[in-house]
Each structure stands twice: as C-alpha cells, then as structure tokens.
C-alpha cells in the first residue's frame, strides 16, 4: 500500500469514527461533494488539501501520517502483566474502557467523578502501556487493531467474570431492548461446531454495529452487554443422579 493510499484509508476511517461526511469535507474545502469523492479515491492528492482535511479531523498532517503508519502495528491484545495493571486500579480500568469506546476527556469528566488531573494521569498510564497515544490538547488516539480483544483467560476477563457477571445477570431483562434466553438440547459434535461458527458471526456483527455507532454523539450511544456462552453441560442435580 502506497503512503498516499494509507493516508486516504486513514482519512476515511477517521471520517467514519467522527461521524463526518463527504458533505462536511466539501464545506470545509469549498468544493462540491462529487469533487471530494473523486479526491478521496485518487492518488493525486495535494499537500494543501491533505493539511486542510487533517485539520478538519483534528490532526496535524504529521499526526495523520503517524496515524496511518501505525495502522499495521496496532495492538491485538495486551500482555497478562499489562492486563493485571489495569484491573489493579479501578479508575485506570474505567478510563481504559472509556477510551476504547472513543470517549473524550470531556465526556469522561462529565459522567464520572474524576478530576481532570486524575483523568490525564490515567491516560498517561495507558500511553505507557501503548494502549493509546495521548496527543496535544489531551486528545486520545487509540493504538488497537479492529480485532483487539482481552486475553481469553486473562486478568480482565477474570475480573468481569467475578465482579461483573452476577451484576449483569441480576437485571429483570423485561425491557423491549433487553433479551435473556436460555436453550438446552443435545447436539452432535458437528452441530456444536456449526453453532460455534454462528456465535462467531454474531460476535463479529456486534463489533460491526459498535463501530458504526461510534459516528453518533455520545448521548445517543448506550453501553450494552452481549453474553454468549456454549459448552457441554447438564444441571448438577442431574449429574448427581447418574449411574
């Protein structure tokens, strides 16, 4: 991929994340929307235009180039030691989760009882973990790949299993936008394998909708939990009656 193509890909991704359209770019550049579409699909991009679009997105041209260069080196997971650091500090974990959901510092301070100094301190800690880069003006740039996930048996998942799962399941699940369903049956190995494929597809779709929702302002987005579980199982009371 050429450097210009990397920049164009980064611009399009940032437009999507920030909820900006080609019409917004056209207005900022004094061009027609059709001209912007042609501009963002060609490799003949003038430096002046790149600077203008970078500024529209809240970047300098150097920062946009750095963002494009980092695309192939983003984190897919943290180490176990890094995850332990996060769960050892409730405020650090809170700020990390907010940052991963594209909250700004202003968003965090408006919702949670943190001082600006505390919030910046936690963001600097996340910067040292390479989870984010803290930019001038306390802007947050994520350093994670699109498929970033917590370690399967790591400290973060253990934390949410022990401290979050019971609270999650304690709801009544009686609202129109809530669902709790449990199904039990006897499946062959091939059927179980097919079911695992379907669960992976559903999880991928949830991730896609999460990314699409980032374009909406924060008050329009709601923290949502999706629990998927599948394993060979029978109630303990049944197992006790086995011969």
């Amino acid at each position: 991929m050429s450097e210009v193509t990397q920049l164009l890909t980064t611009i399009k991704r940032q437009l999507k994340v920030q909820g900006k359209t080609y019409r917004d770019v056209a207005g900022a550049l004094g061009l027609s929307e059709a001209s912007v579409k042609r501009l963002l699909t060609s490799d003949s991009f003038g430096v002046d235009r790149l600077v203008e679009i970078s500024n529209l997105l809240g970047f300098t041209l150097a920062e946009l180039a750095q963002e494009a260069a980092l695309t192939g080196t983003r984190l897919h997971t943290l180490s176990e030691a890094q995850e332990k650091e996060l769960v050892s500090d409730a405020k650090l974990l809170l700020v990390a989760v907010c940052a991963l959901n594209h909250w700004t510092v202003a968003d965090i301070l408006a919702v949670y009882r943190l001082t600006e100094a505390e919030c910046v301190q936690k963001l600097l800690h996340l910067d040292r973990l390479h989870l984010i880069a803290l930019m001038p003006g306390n802007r947050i740039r994520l350093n994670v790949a699109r498929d970033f996930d917590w370690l399967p048996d790591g400290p973060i998942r253990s934390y949410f299993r022990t401290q979050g799962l019971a609270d999650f399941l304690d709801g009544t699940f009686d609202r129109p936008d809530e669902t709790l369903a449990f199904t039990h049956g006897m499946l062959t190995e091939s059927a179980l394998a097919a079911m695992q494929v379907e669960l992976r597809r559903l999880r991928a779709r949830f991730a896609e909708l999460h990314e699409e929702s980032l374009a909406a302002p924060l008050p329009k987005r709601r923290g949502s939990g999706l629990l998927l579980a599948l394993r060979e199982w029978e109630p303990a009371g049944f197992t006790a009656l086995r011969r």
Side-chain angles (χ1 to χ4, degrees):
M1 186 183 292
S2 72
E3 292 181 359
V4 173
T5 303
Q6 279 186 316
L7 284 170
L8 290 174
T9 300
T10 302
I11 287 169
K12 291 173 187 176
R13 185 173 64 250
Q14 285 297 322
L15 287 171
K16 185 175 181 179
V17 167
Q18 297 183 27
K20 291 184 170 66
T21 65
Y22 286 172
R23 181 175 297 177
D24 296 320
V25 179
L29 270 58
L31 299 172
S32 68
E33 195 170 341
S35 296
V36 169
K37 287 180 181 179
R38 285 194 299 272
L39 197 61
L40 293 177
T41 55
S42 71
D43 285 341
S44 55
F45 217 114
V47 174
D48 290 344
R49 291 302 191 196
L50 276 173
V51 170
E52 288 178 302
I53 294 180
S54 299
N55 293 340
L56 173 66
L57 295 170
F59 292 86
T60 65
L61 181 54
E63 288 171 351
L64 187 70
Q66 186 179 20
E67 176 77 8
L70 284 171
T71 299
T73 60
R74 295 185 185 278
L75 295 174
H76 296 271
T77 64
L78 295 179
S79 68
E80 184 170 353
Q82 288 172 320
E83 286 199 1
K84 281 183 178 178
E85 280 191 59
L86 291 181
V87 298
S88 69
D89 183 337
K91 289 183 179 179
L92 180 63
L93 181 58
L94 167 66
V95 173
V97 171
C98 288
L100 288 170
N101 280 284
H102 295 264
W103 288 37
T104 65
V105 170
D107 292 331
I108 298 170
L109 297 180
V111 175
Y112 294 107
R113 293 193 304 274
L114 292 175
T115 66
E116 185 172 1
E118 283 179 313
C119 188
V120 171
Q121 180 190 40
K122 302 308 178 188
L123 289 170
L124 287 170
H125 193 153
L126 297 176
D127 188 300
R128 291 194 295 274
L129 291 175
H130 304 296
L131 192 66
I132 69 162
L134 189 59
M135 308 298 287
N138 292 331
R139 290 181 289 116
I140 303 167
R141 188 185 70 207
L142 292 180
N143 188 35
V144 297
R146 292 180 68 179
D147 62 349
F148 174 83
D149 204 355
W150 306 116
L151 295 171
D153 297 309
I156 296 289
R157 292 194 184 227
S158 176
Y159 172 88
F160 282 107
R161 277 197 303 269
T162 57
Q163 301 197 37
L165 187 57
D167 180 61
F168 178 76
L169 294 174
D170 193 42
T172 57
F173 292 89
D174 57 357
R175 287 175 23 174
D177 58 353
E178 296 178 336
T179 300
L180 177 63
F182 176 76
T183 302
H184 183 266
M186 301 187 72
L187 303 179
T188 63
E189 286 189 13
S190 61
L192 282 168
M195 197 67 231
Q196 291 285 6
V197 171
E198 293 301 321
L199 291 178
R200 285 194 291 271
R201 285 176 181 161
L202 180 58
R203 188 164 179 240
R205 181 57 180 150
F206 186 90
E208 288 173 5
L209 291 171
H210 163 74
E211 187 165 343
E212 290 174 13
S213 297
L214 294 176
L218 184 60
K220 294 288 186 181
R221 291 182 274 146
R222 293 177 291 172
S224 305
L226 175 65
L227 175 65
L228 303 174
L230 176 67
R231 71 179 180 93
E232 185 177 345
W233 175 84
E234 72 174 356
F238 292 6
T239 303
L241 294 173
R242 281 182 172 265
R243 295 186 183 278

